[in-house]
Amino acid sequence: MVTAIDSVEIDLGPLHLKALLGAPPDAEGLIIFAHGSGSGRLSPRNNRVAASLRDAGLATLLLDLLTPEEERDRANVFDIALLASRLSYATDWSIAVPETAHLPIGYFGASTGAGAALVAAAEPRPVVKAVVSRGGRPDMAGDALPRVVAPTLLIVGSLDGHVIELNRMAYDRLVAPKQLAIVEGAGHLFEEPGTLAEVERLAARWFRRHLAGEREL
């Protein structure tokens, strides 16, 4: 069954962040997406991953972390603290609305969004139960990395040499349960045949394990 996708707005005082919420019946968790490098809720790759997670029984929230006006300033795209604060607002929103209030939360971050997801996950309150990074820059989370307690999966393509090294550096600083998965034959955007499907499989298994208590999908 195809899950209906609802357009929603997350209000931050005078600001309104547009988002797409998909919640399958009997969902066992909510995955909030943190896009990076100027991407947003309409990202084709993240929407494909989100669809696979919904098929695995998880709700998804894809949102624009920046308003259109903010996106015009490229510096905002790399402002990890700003992006993390928006992700935290979205998390608070999801806890408050009846559709998702009962669901354990995970973060899926891509590119700079991975750094923002880990900074948000490092906040003192233990809300986030798992984090997955796809081709991300977890190193941009900096000193927040040792404070992350949520189990964290870092997924990198084998052809993305420099980013692999940055992920290894971040991996070494993480003290939470962690895994580094290198997808063979994949570049930075996982455009090669079968590579994004492997991301979907790894992410679904990680989230189901840590949000729904399953050892294997």
Side-chain angles (χ1 to χ4, degrees), residues 122-182:
E123 291 187 357
R125 50 188 187 145
V127 173
V128 180
K129 304 302 182 184
V131 178
V132 173
S133 162
R134 171 187 64 81
R137 291 290 308 277
D139 58 296
M140 297 183 77
D143 291 340
L145 287 168
R147 300 198 306 272
V148 175
V149 297
T152 299
L153 170 64
L154 307 179
I155 306 173
V156 195
S158 68
L159 306 179
D160 202 7
H162 180 56
V163 174
I164 290 176
E165 291 308 310
L166 294 173
N167 273 257
R168 284 179 173 150
M169 290 168 55
Y171 180 87
D172 288 341
R173 298 193 68 189
L174 285 166
V175 296
K178 58 188 177 179
Q179 182 178 337
L180 174 62
I182 298 179

Side-chain angles (χ1 to χ4, degrees), residues 31-102:
I31 311 305
I32 304 178
F33 281 69
H35 315 286
S37 301
S39 185
R41 73 191 189 284
L42 301 180
S43 163
R45 280 179 292 276
N46 281 346
N47 271 277
R48 177 176 155 179
V49 173
S52 73
L53 294 179
R54 291 192 295 271
D55 288 342
L58 299 164
T60 59
L61 180 68
L62 297 97
L63 72 153
D64 297 340
L65 295 177
L66 299 173
T67 66
E69 294 76 18
E70 290 171 331
E71 287 178 353
R72 295 191 187 103
D73 183 352
R74 285 294 293 172
N76 288 328
V77 174
F78 301 97
D79 189 335
I80 300 301
L82 173 62
L83 300 178
S85 70
R86 299 294 171 78
L87 190 55
S88 293
Y89 278 121
T91 303
D92 290 340
W93 176 89
S94 69
I95 294 171
V97 297
E99 295 90 340
T100 55
H102 60 294

